[in-house]
Amino acid sequence: MKRILFSVILVTITLSCLAQKEKPVEQELPTENLEMRKDSNKRANKPKRKKYALIYVPNANNILYGNLCVLEETHKMGFEYLVEPTNIAGSKTWKGKLLNNLWVKSKLVVTRSPFWKIILNKKIKKCRVLSGDLVG
């Protein structure tokens, strides 16, 4: 008798779990929408984010990593510096970094200017002066 009762309860619980309708993933995600009139969990109302290309550098010399002014200037150009030393486990291989940097820099030559590096260095120097990182 106990076995039959136990099996009936087990089957009932299993069927009730299977009968529950799963919510789509979008309904479970947190929202960043602040407007009351818009449904916040629709893809169309999701805030737009730009994906920036990455240029891998082995050390943070001359790029002012962490300076917000420099970060804004590189974002305006459409890329971001990523400091990744060569001896870290799980980092990209030197071939992968070389090909990625070659692709991003050639894209910058076409989209921005052949002199994008000179223009960026002038803006970085101006950011250094404004933030007080440049002495002299």
Side-chain angles (χ1 to χ4, degrees):
M1 185 69 177
K2 289 182 181 180
R3 288 184 188 173
I4 294 172
L5 184 61
F6 180 71
S7 60
V8 169
I9 291 174
L10 185 62
V11 169
T12 307
I13 291 173
T14 306
L15 290 176
S16 67
C17 288
L18 292 175
Q20 288 179 355
K21 186 177 178 183
E22 276 192 37
K23 294 180 182 178
V25 175
E26 287 84 12
Q27 290 181 358
E28 299 295 331
L29 294 176
T31 180
E32 296 178 9
N33 189 7
L34 299 176
E35 293 187 32
M36 295 288 288
R37 295 182 211 127
K38 289 187 177 180
D39 186 13
S40 58
N41 290 325
K42 288 187 178 179
R43 287 186 193 264
N45 296 332
K46 185 177 75 169
K48 307 291 188 270
R49 288 194 181 112
K50 186 170 180 182
K51 187 173 181 180
Y52 298 106
L54 298 174
I55 294 180
Y56 294 97
V57 292
N59 51 26
N61 295 346
N62 301 325
I63 61 168
L64 292 182
Y65 195 75
N67 191 327
L68 291 178
C69 178
V70 174
L71 189 65
E72 288 175 6
E73 294 299 330
T74 57
H75 281 183
K76 285 179 188 175
M77 288 196 156
F79 75 97
E80 186 174 331
Y81 285 113
L82 181 66
V83 179
E84 188 174 286
T86 55
N87 55 0
I88 292 180
S91 65
K92 277 189 154 189
T93 62
W94 66 273
K95 289 180 186 177
K97 291 178 187 177
L98 178 74
L99 291 174
N100 178 64
N101 289 349
L102 183 67
W103 170 251
V104 173
K105 289 178 182 180
S106 61
K107 192 168 70 170
L108 286 170
V109 166
V110 172
T111 57
R112 294 297 164 190
S113 166
F115 307 108
W116 70 270
K117 188 70 172 177
I118 297 170
I119 295 168
L120 182 66
N121 283 338
K122 285 183 180 180
K123 291 180 180 179
I124 287 175
K125 193 170 185 177
K126 193 179 290 184
C127 287
R128 287 182 76 178
V129 170
L130 290 176
S131 66
D133 287 339
L134 184 63
V135 179

Short mmCIF file of all heavy atoms in Angstrom, two decimals, residues 20-79:
data_model
loop_
_atom_site.label_atom_id
_atom_site.label_comp_id
_atom_site.label_asym_id
_atom_site.label_seq_id
_atom_site.Cartn_x
_atom_site.Cartn_y
_atom_site.Cartn_z
N GLN A 20 4.33 22.54 -16.08
CA GLN A 20 4.60 23.96 -15.89
C GLN A 20 5.20 24.54 -17.15
O GLN A 20 6.09 23.96 -17.76
CB GLN A 20 5.55 24.18 -14.73
CG GLN A 20 4.94 23.93 -13.39
CD GLN A 20 5.94 24.15 -12.27
OE1 GLN A 20 7.10 24.38 -12.51
NE2 GLN A 20 5.45 24.08 -11.04
N LYS A 21 4.70 25.68 -17.53
CA LYS A 21 5.20 26.34 -18.73
C LYS A 21 6.45 27.14 -18.37
O LYS A 21 6.43 27.94 -17.44
CB LYS A 21 4.14 27.27 -19.29
CG LYS A 21 4.49 27.88 -20.61
CD LYS A 21 3.37 28.74 -21.13
CE LYS A 21 3.76 29.39 -22.42
NZ LYS A 21 2.70 30.28 -22.92
N GLU A 22 7.53 26.90 -19.11
CA GLU A 22 8.77 27.64 -18.83
C GLU A 22 8.69 29.04 -19.40
O GLU A 22 8.18 29.26 -20.49
CB GLU A 22 9.96 26.92 -19.46
CG GLU A 22 10.50 25.82 -18.63
CD GLU A 22 11.85 25.33 -19.13
OE1 GLU A 22 12.65 26.16 -19.59
OE2 GLU A 22 12.07 24.13 -19.08
N LYS A 23 9.21 29.98 -18.65
CA LYS A 23 9.27 31.36 -19.11
C LYS A 23 10.46 31.51 -20.04
O LYS A 23 11.50 30.87 -19.85
CB LYS A 23 9.44 32.31 -17.93
CG LYS A 23 8.26 32.35 -17.00
CD LYS A 23 8.52 33.31 -15.87
CE LYS A 23 7.37 33.33 -14.90
NZ LYS A 23 7.63 34.23 -13.78
N PRO A 24 10.34 32.36 -21.04
CA PRO A 24 11.52 32.61 -21.90
C PRO A 24 12.64 33.26 -21.10
O PRO A 24 12.40 33.86 -20.04
CB PRO A 24 11.00 33.57 -22.97
CG PRO A 24 9.54 33.66 -22.80
CD PRO A 24 9.17 33.07 -21.49
N VAL A 25 13.83 33.14 -21.60
CA VAL A 25 15.00 33.66 -20.90
C VAL A 25 14.91 35.17 -20.74
O VAL A 25 15.34 35.72 -19.72
CB VAL A 25 16.29 33.28 -21.68
CG1 VAL A 25 17.50 33.90 -21.04
CG2 VAL A 25 16.42 31.77 -21.75
N GLU A 26 14.33 35.86 -21.71
CA GLU A 26 14.25 37.31 -21.65
C GLU A 26 13.46 37.79 -20.43
O GLU A 26 13.72 38.86 -19.88
CB GLU A 26 13.63 37.89 -22.92
CG GLU A 26 14.52 37.84 -24.13
CD GLU A 26 14.45 36.50 -24.84
OE1 GLU A 26 13.55 35.69 -24.54
OE2 GLU A 26 15.31 36.25 -25.69
N GLN A 27 12.48 37.01 -19.98
CA GLN A 27 11.67 37.43 -18.83
C GLN A 27 12.44 37.26 -17.52
O GLN A 27 12.11 37.89 -16.53
CB GLN A 27 10.38 36.63 -18.77
CG GLN A 27 9.42 36.99 -19.88
CD GLN A 27 8.13 36.20 -19.78
OE1 GLN A 27 7.97 35.37 -18.90
NE2 GLN A 27 7.20 36.47 -20.69
N GLU A 28 13.43 36.42 -17.51
CA GLU A 28 14.20 36.18 -16.30
C GLU A 28 15.37 37.15 -16.15
O GLU A 28 15.95 37.26 -15.08
CB GLU A 28 14.74 34.75 -16.29
CG GLU A 28 13.66 33.69 -16.32
CD GLU A 28 12.79 33.68 -15.08
OE1 GLU A 28 13.27 34.07 -13.99
OE2 GLU A 28 11.62 33.31 -15.18
N LEU A 29 15.74 37.82 -17.22
CA LEU A 29 16.90 38.71 -17.18
C LEU A 29 16.56 40.01 -16.44
O LEU A 29 15.44 40.50 -16.52
CB LEU A 29 17.36 39.04 -18.60
CG LEU A 29 17.90 37.87 -19.39
CD1 LEU A 29 18.24 38.32 -20.80
CD2 LEU A 29 19.13 37.27 -18.74
N PRO A 30 17.54 40.58 -15.74
CA PRO A 30 17.29 41.88 -15.11
C PRO A 30 17.18 42.96 -16.18
O PRO A 30 17.71 42.83 -17.28
CB PRO A 30 18.53 42.08 -14.24
CG PRO A 30 19.57 41.23 -14.84
CD PRO A 30 18.86 40.06 -15.47
N THR A 31 16.50 44.01 -15.85
CA THR A 31 16.25 45.07 -16.81
C THR A 31 17.00 46.34 -16.44
O THR A 31 17.32 46.55 -15.28
CB THR A 31 14.75 45.35 -16.93
OG1 THR A 31 14.57 46.39 -17.88
CG2 THR A 31 14.16 45.81 -15.61
N GLU A 32 17.28 47.15 -17.45
CA GLU A 32 17.90 48.45 -17.23
C GLU A 32 16.98 49.56 -17.69
O GLU A 32 17.37 50.70 -17.76
CB GLU A 32 19.23 48.54 -17.98
CG GLU A 32 20.26 47.56 -17.48
CD GLU A 32 21.55 47.63 -18.28
OE1 GLU A 32 21.70 48.54 -19.10
OE2 GLU A 32 22.40 46.78 -18.07
N ASN A 33 15.77 49.22 -18.03
CA ASN A 33 14.82 50.19 -18.54
C ASN A 33 14.22 50.98 -17.38
O ASN A 33 13.77 50.41 -16.40
CB ASN A 33 13.71 49.46 -19.31
CG ASN A 33 12.82 50.42 -20.05
OD1 ASN A 33 13.09 51.60 -20.10
ND2 ASN A 33 11.76 49.90 -20.63
N LEU A 34 14.21 52.29 -17.50
CA LEU A 34 13.69 53.14 -16.44
C LEU A 34 12.35 53.77 -16.79
O LEU A 34 11.76 54.43 -15.96
CB LEU A 34 14.71 54.24 -16.12
CG LEU A 34 16.06 53.74 -15.62
CD1 LEU A 34 17.00 54.91 -15.41
CD2 LEU A 34 15.91 52.96 -14.34
N GLU A 35 11.87 53.58 -18.02
CA GLU A 35 10.61 54.17 -18.43
C GLU A 35 9.47 53.24 -18.04
O GLU A 35 9.50 52.05 -18.29
CB GLU A 35 10.59 54.42 -19.93
CG GLU A 35 11.57 55.50 -20.36
CD GLU A 35 11.40 55.85 -21.81
OE1 GLU A 35 10.26 55.77 -22.31
OE2 GLU A 35 12.40 56.19 -22.44
N MET A 36 8.43 53.81 -17.44
CA MET A 36 7.30 53.02 -16.98
C MET A 36 6.44 52.52 -18.13
O MET A 36 5.82 51.49 -18.04
CB MET A 36 6.45 53.86 -16.01
CG MET A 36 7.17 54.23 -14.74
SD MET A 36 7.40 52.85 -13.66
CE MET A 36 5.75 52.61 -13.09
N ARG A 37 6.39 53.27 -19.23
CA ARG A 37 5.47 52.94 -20.32
C ARG A 37 5.96 51.78 -21.18
O ARG A 37 5.17 51.14 -21.84
CB ARG A 37 5.27 54.16 -21.21
CG ARG A 37 4.57 55.27 -20.49
CD ARG A 37 4.35 56.44 -21.42
NE ARG A 37 4.39 57.66 -20.63
CZ ARG A 37 5.14 58.69 -20.89
NH1 ARG A 37 5.90 58.70 -21.93
NH2 ARG A 37 5.13 59.73 -20.11
N LYS A 38 7.26 51.53 -21.20
CA LYS A 38 7.80 50.49 -22.07
C LYS A 38 7.93 49.18 -21.33
O LYS A 38 8.25 49.13 -20.15
CB LYS A 38 9.18 50.91 -22.59
CG LYS A 38 9.15 52.03 -23.57
CD LYS A 38 10.53 52.26 -24.13
CE LYS A 38 10.52 53.34 -25.18
NZ LYS A 38 11.86 53.57 -25.72
N ASP A 39 7.67 48.10 -22.06
CA ASP A 39 7.90 46.78 -21.49
C ASP A 39 9.40 46.55 -21.47
O ASP A 39 10.07 46.62 -22.50
CB ASP A 39 7.21 45.71 -22.33
CG ASP A 39 7.30 44.34 -21.69
OD1 ASP A 39 7.68 44.27 -20.50
OD2 ASP A 39 6.98 43.34 -22.36
N SER A 40 9.94 46.29 -20.32
CA SER A 40 11.39 46.29 -20.16
C SER A 40 12.05 45.01 -20.63
O SER A 40 13.26 44.99 -20.82
CB SER A 40 11.74 46.54 -18.70
OG SER A 40 11.14 45.54 -17.91
N ASN A 41 11.32 43.95 -20.80
CA ASN A 41 11.94 42.68 -21.12
C ASN A 41 11.82 42.29 -22.58
O ASN A 41 11.79 41.12 -22.92
CB ASN A 41 11.35 41.57 -20.24
CG ASN A 41 11.78 41.74 -18.81
OD1 ASN A 41 12.89 42.17 -18.55
ND2 ASN A 41 10.92 41.42 -17.89
N LYS A 42 11.72 43.25 -23.45
CA LYS A 42 11.70 42.96 -24.89
C LYS A 42 13.06 43.32 -25.48
O LYS A 42 13.72 44.25 -25.04
CB LYS A 42 10.62 43.79 -25.59
CG LYS A 42 9.23 43.32 -25.29
CD LYS A 42 8.24 44.05 -26.14
CE LYS A 42 6.84 43.54 -25.88
NZ LYS A 42 5.85 44.25 -26.68
N ARG A 43 13.45 42.56 -26.48
CA ARG A 43 14.74 42.83 -27.11
C ARG A 43 14.79 44.21 -27.75
O ARG A 43 15.83 44.85 -27.79
CB ARG A 43 15.04 41.77 -28.17
CG ARG A 43 15.40 40.44 -27.60
CD ARG A 43 15.81 39.50 -28.73
NE ARG A 43 15.89 38.14 -28.26
CZ ARG A 43 17.00 37.55 -27.88
NH1 ARG A 43 18.12 38.21 -27.90
NH2 ARG A 43 16.99 36.31 -27.46
N ALA A 44 13.68 44.69 -28.26
CA ALA A 44 13.65 45.99 -28.91
C ALA A 44 13.91 47.13 -27.93
O ALA A 44 14.45 48.17 -28.30
CB ALA A 44 12.32 46.20 -29.61
N ASN A 45 13.58 46.93 -26.66
CA ASN A 45 13.75 47.98 -25.67
C ASN A 45 15.05 47.84 -24.89
O ASN A 45 15.28 48.58 -23.94
CB ASN A 45 12.58 47.98 -24.69
CG ASN A 45 11.29 48.31 -25.39
OD1 ASN A 45 11.28 49.01 -26.39
ND2 ASN A 45 10.19 47.79 -24.89
N LYS A 46 15.86 46.88 -25.26
CA LYS A 46 17.13 46.66 -24.57
C LYS A 46 18.06 47.83 -24.87
O LYS A 46 18.11 48.32 -26.00
CB LYS A 46 17.76 45.36 -25.08
CG LYS A 46 19.02 44.97 -24.37
CD LYS A 46 19.54 43.65 -24.89
CE LYS A 46 20.16 43.87 -26.24
NZ LYS A 46 20.90 42.74 -26.75
N PRO A 47 18.81 48.31 -23.90
CA PRO A 47 19.72 49.42 -24.16
C PRO A 47 20.80 49.01 -25.17
O PRO A 47 21.29 47.89 -25.14
CB PRO A 47 20.35 49.73 -22.81
CG PRO A 47 19.84 48.74 -21.86
CD PRO A 47 18.83 47.90 -22.52
N LYS A 48 21.12 49.93 -26.04
CA LYS A 48 22.11 49.64 -27.08
C LYS A 48 23.51 49.75 -26.50
O LYS A 48 23.84 50.71 -25.82
CB LYS A 48 21.98 50.63 -28.25
CG LYS A 48 20.57 50.73 -28.82
CD LYS A 48 20.18 49.48 -29.54
CE LYS A 48 18.87 49.61 -30.28
NZ LYS A 48 17.69 49.27 -29.54
N ARG A 49 24.34 48.77 -26.79
CA ARG A 49 25.73 48.79 -26.36
C ARG A 49 26.60 48.56 -27.57
O ARG A 49 26.30 47.70 -28.40
CB ARG A 49 26.00 47.69 -25.34
CG ARG A 49 25.38 47.95 -24.01
CD ARG A 49 25.97 47.02 -22.97
NE ARG A 49 25.36 47.27 -21.69
CZ ARG A 49 24.55 46.43 -21.07
NH1 ARG A 49 24.27 45.27 -21.62
NH2 ARG A 49 24.04 46.73 -19.91
N LYS A 50 27.67 49.30 -27.65
CA LYS A 50 28.58 49.14 -28.76
C LYS A 50 29.69 48.17 -28.36
O LYS A 50 30.21 48.24 -27.26
CB LYS A 50 29.18 50.48 -29.15
CG LYS A 50 30.02 50.39 -30.38
CD LYS A 50 30.42 51.73 -30.90
CE LYS A 50 31.24 51.52 -32.14
NZ LYS A 50 31.72 52.70 -32.73
N LYS A 51 30.01 47.27 -29.26
CA LYS A 51 31.08 46.33 -29.01
C LYS A 51 32.35 46.91 -29.62
O LYS A 51 32.41 47.17 -30.82
CB LYS A 51 30.75 44.97 -29.63
CG LYS A 51 31.73 43.91 -29.26
CD LYS A 51 31.28 42.56 -29.76
CE LYS A 51 32.28 41.53 -29.33
NZ LYS A 51 31.91 40.19 -29.79
N TYR A 52 33.35 47.11 -28.78
CA TYR A 52 34.60 47.71 -29.24
C TYR A 52 35.61 46.64 -29.61
O TYR A 52 35.70 45.59 -28.95
CB TYR A 52 35.18 48.61 -28.14
CG TYR A 52 34.27 49.76 -27.79
CD1 TYR A 52 33.56 49.76 -26.60
CD2 TYR A 52 34.11 50.83 -28.65
CE1 TYR A 52 32.71 50.80 -26.28
CE2 TYR A 52 33.26 51.87 -28.34
CZ TYR A 52 32.57 51.86 -27.16
OH TYR A 52 31.72 52.89 -26.86
N ALA A 53 36.38 46.92 -30.64
CA ALA A 53 37.47 46.03 -31.02
C ALA A 53 38.59 46.15 -29.99
O ALA A 53 38.75 47.19 -29.35
CB ALA A 53 37.98 46.38 -32.41
N LEU A 54 39.36 45.09 -29.82
CA LEU A 54 40.43 45.08 -28.83
C LEU A 54 41.79 45.06 -29.50
O LEU A 54 42.00 44.33 -30.46
CB LEU A 54 40.31 43.86 -27.92
CG LEU A 54 39.04 43.75 -27.10
CD1 LEU A 54 39.00 42.43 -26.37
CD2 LEU A 54 38.95 44.90 -26.11
N ILE A 55 42.70 45.88 -28.99
CA ILE A 55 44.11 45.83 -29.39
C ILE A 55 44.89 45.33 -28.19
O ILE A 55 44.87 45.96 -27.13
CB ILE A 55 44.62 47.21 -29.85
CG1 ILE A 55 43.90 47.65 -31.12
CG2 ILE A 55 46.12 47.17 -30.09
CD1 ILE A 55 44.34 48.99 -31.66
N TYR A 56 45.54 44.19 -28.36
CA TYR A 56 46.29 43.58 -27.26
C TYR A 56 47.67 44.22 -27.17
O TYR A 56 48.37 44.35 -28.16
CB TYR A 56 46.44 42.08 -27.49
CG TYR A 56 45.13 41.34 -27.43
CD1 TYR A 56 44.43 41.04 -28.59
CD2 TYR A 56 44.59 40.97 -26.22
CE1 TYR A 56 43.23 40.37 -28.54
CE2 TYR A 56 43.38 40.30 -26.16
CZ TYR A 56 42.71 40.00 -27.32
OH TYR A 56 41.52 39.34 -27.26
N VAL A 57 48.04 44.63 -25.95
CA VAL A 57 49.37 45.17 -25.69
C VAL A 57 49.98 44.40 -24.52
O VAL A 57 49.26 44.00 -23.60
CB VAL A 57 49.33 46.69 -25.39
CG1 VAL A 57 48.95 47.49 -26.61
CG2 VAL A 57 48.38 46.99 -24.26
N PRO A 58 51.30 44.18 -24.54
CA PRO A 58 51.92 43.39 -23.46
C PRO A 58 52.09 44.15 -22.15
O PRO A 58 52.12 43.55 -21.09
CB PRO A 58 53.28 42.99 -24.04
CG PRO A 58 53.56 44.01 -25.07
CD PRO A 58 52.25 44.45 -25.62
N ASN A 59 52.20 45.48 -22.21
CA ASN A 59 52.33 46.27 -20.98
C ASN A 59 51.61 47.60 -21.17
O ASN A 59 51.25 47.97 -22.28
CB ASN A 59 53.80 46.49 -20.61
CG ASN A 59 54.60 47.03 -21.76
OD1 ASN A 59 54.06 47.67 -22.65
ND2 ASN A 59 55.89 46.79 -21.76
N ALA A 60 51.41 48.31 -20.09
CA ALA A 60 50.60 49.53 -20.11
C ALA A 60 51.42 50.79 -20.33
O ALA A 60 50.97 51.88 -19.99
CB ALA A 60 49.82 49.64 -18.81
N ASN A 61 52.60 50.66 -20.92
CA ASN A 61 53.43 51.84 -21.18
C ASN A 61 52.80 52.70 -22.26
O ASN A 61 52.37 52.22 -23.31
CB ASN A 61 54.84 51.43 -21.63
CG ASN A 61 55.59 50.71 -20.54
OD1 ASN A 61 55.20 50.74 -19.38
ND2 ASN A 61 56.68 50.06 -20.92
N ASN A 62 52.72 54.00 -22.02
CA ASN A 62 52.29 55.02 -22.98
C ASN A 62 50.83 54.92 -23.43
O ASN A 62 50.45 55.56 -24.39
CB ASN A 62 53.19 55.00 -24.23
CG ASN A 62 54.63 55.25 -23.89
OD1 ASN A 62 54.94 56.02 -22.98
ND2 ASN A 62 55.52 54.58 -24.59
N ILE A 63 50.00 54.12 -22.78
CA ILE A 63 48.60 54.08 -23.19
C ILE A 63 47.68 54.65 -22.11
O ILE A 63 46.50 54.80 -22.34
CB ILE A 63 48.14 52.67 -23.57
CG1 ILE A 63 48.26 51.70 -22.41
CG2 ILE A 63 48.84 52.16 -24.79
CD1 ILE A 63 47.57 50.38 -22.66
N LEU A 64 48.21 54.98 -20.95
CA LEU A 64 47.44 55.55 -19.84
C LEU A 64 46.22 54.70 -19.53
O LEU A 64 45.08 55.16 -19.51
CB LEU A 64 47.03 56.99 -20.13
CG LEU A 64 48.14 58.01 -20.18
CD1 LEU A 64 47.58 59.38 -20.42
CD2 LEU A 64 48.97 58.00 -18.93
N TYR A 65 46.47 53.45 -19.27
CA TYR A 65 45.39 52.51 -18.96
C TYR A 65 44.72 52.94 -17.66
O TYR A 65 45.37 53.11 -16.65
CB TYR A 65 45.95 51.10 -18.83
CG TYR A 65 44.91 50.02 -18.86
CD1 TYR A 65 44.30 49.67 -20.05
CD2 TYR A 65 44.53 49.37 -17.70
CE1 TYR A 65 43.35 48.68 -20.09
CE2 TYR A 65 43.57 48.38 -17.73
CZ TYR A 65 42.98 48.05 -18.93
OH TYR A 65 42.03 47.07 -18.96
N GLY A 66 43.43 53.13 -17.69
CA GLY A 66 42.69 53.57 -16.51
C GLY A 66 42.31 55.04 -16.54
O GLY A 66 41.48 55.47 -15.75
N ASN A 67 42.89 55.82 -17.44
CA ASN A 67 42.54 57.22 -17.58
C ASN A 67 41.24 57.32 -18.38
O ASN A 67 41.17 56.85 -19.51
CB ASN A 67 43.68 57.97 -18.28
CG ASN A 67 43.50 59.47 -18.22
OD1 ASN A 67 42.39 59.97 -18.23
ND2 ASN A 67 44.61 60.18 -18.16
N LEU A 68 40.20 57.90 -17.80
CA LEU A 68 38.89 57.93 -18.46
C LEU A 68 38.90 58.76 -19.73
O LEU A 68 38.19 58.44 -20.68
CB LEU A 68 37.84 58.46 -17.49
CG LEU A 68 37.50 57.53 -16.33
CD1 LEU A 68 36.48 58.18 -15.42
CD2 LEU A 68 36.98 56.21 -16.84
N CYS A 69 39.68 59.81 -19.77
CA CYS A 69 39.75 60.64 -20.97
C CYS A 69 40.31 59.84 -22.15
O CYS A 69 39.78 59.89 -23.25
CB CYS A 69 40.62 61.87 -20.68
SG CYS A 69 40.85 62.96 -22.09
N VAL A 70 41.36 59.08 -21.89
CA VAL A 70 41.96 58.25 -22.95
C VAL A 70 40.99 57.15 -23.37
O VAL A 70 40.85 56.84 -24.56
CB VAL A 70 43.30 57.66 -22.48
CG1 VAL A 70 43.87 56.70 -23.51
CG2 VAL A 70 44.29 58.77 -22.20
N LEU A 71 40.29 56.58 -22.41
CA LEU A 71 39.32 55.54 -22.72
C LEU A 71 38.20 56.07 -23.61
O LEU A 71 37.78 55.41 -24.56
CB LEU A 71 38.75 54.98 -21.42
CG LEU A 71 37.88 53.74 -21.54
CD1 LEU A 71 38.70 52.56 -22.03
CD2 LEU A 71 37.24 53.43 -20.22
N GLU A 72 37.74 57.29 -23.33
CA GLU A 72 36.72 57.91 -24.18
C GLU A 72 37.24 58.15 -25.59
O GLU A 72 36.51 57.94 -26.56
CB GLU A 72 36.25 59.22 -23.55
CG GLU A 72 35.39 59.05 -22.33
CD GLU A 72 35.05 60.37 -21.68
OE1 GLU A 72 35.39 61.44 -22.25
OE2 GLU A 72 34.46 60.34 -20.59
N GLU A 73 38.47 58.60 -25.71
CA GLU A 73 39.04 58.87 -27.03
C GLU A 73 39.19 57.58 -27.85
O GLU A 73 38.92 57.56 -29.04
CB GLU A 73 40.39 59.58 -26.91
CG GLU A 73 40.32 60.98 -26.33
CD GLU A 73 39.49 61.93 -27.18
OE1 GLU A 73 39.42 61.76 -28.41
OE2 GLU A 73 38.90 62.86 -26.60
N THR A 74 39.64 56.51 -27.20
CA THR A 74 39.76 55.25 -27.94
C THR A 74 38.39 54.68 -28.29
O THR A 74 38.22 54.11 -29.36
CB THR A 74 40.57 54.22 -27.14
OG1 THR A 74 39.96 54.00 -25.88
CG2 THR A 74 42.00 54.66 -26.95
N HIS A 75 37.40 54.89 -27.42
CA HIS A 75 36.05 54.44 -27.74
C HIS A 75 35.47 55.22 -28.91
O HIS A 75 34.72 54.67 -29.72
CB HIS A 75 35.14 54.56 -26.53
CG HIS A 75 35.33 53.46 -25.55
ND1 HIS A 75 34.58 53.35 -24.42
CD2 HIS A 75 36.19 52.40 -25.51
CE1 HIS A 75 34.95 52.29 -23.73
NE2 HIS A 75 35.95 51.71 -24.37
N LYS A 76 35.79 56.50 -29.01
CA LYS A 76 35.33 57.29 -30.16
C LYS A 76 35.90 56.75 -31.46
O LYS A 76 35.25 56.80 -32.50
CB LYS A 76 35.74 58.76 -30.00
CG LYS A 76 34.91 59.52 -28.99
CD LYS A 76 35.40 60.94 -28.89
CE LYS A 76 34.75 61.69 -27.74
NZ LYS A 76 35.31 63.04 -27.57
N MET A 77 37.13 56.23 -31.39
CA MET A 77 37.75 55.63 -32.57
C MET A 77 37.25 54.21 -32.83
O MET A 77 37.44 53.68 -33.91
CB MET A 77 39.26 55.64 -32.45
CG MET A 77 39.87 56.99 -32.59
SD MET A 77 41.62 56.87 -32.89
CE MET A 77 41.93 58.41 -33.69
N GLY A 78 36.64 53.59 -31.83
CA GLY A 78 36.04 52.28 -32.03
C GLY A 78 36.86 51.10 -31.54
O GLY A 78 36.61 49.98 -31.94
N PHE A 79 37.81 51.34 -30.66
CA PHE A 79 38.60 50.23 -30.12
C PHE A 79 38.95 50.52 -28.67
O PHE A 79 38.65 51.57 -28.14
CB PHE A 79 39.87 50.00 -30.95
CG PHE A 79 40.96 51.01 -30.73
CD1 PHE A 79 41.99 50.74 -29.85
CD2 PHE A 79 40.97 52.22 -31.39
CE1 PHE A 79 43.00 51.66 -29.64
CE2 PHE A 79 41.96 53.14 -31.19
CZ PHE A 79 42.99 52.87 -30.32
#
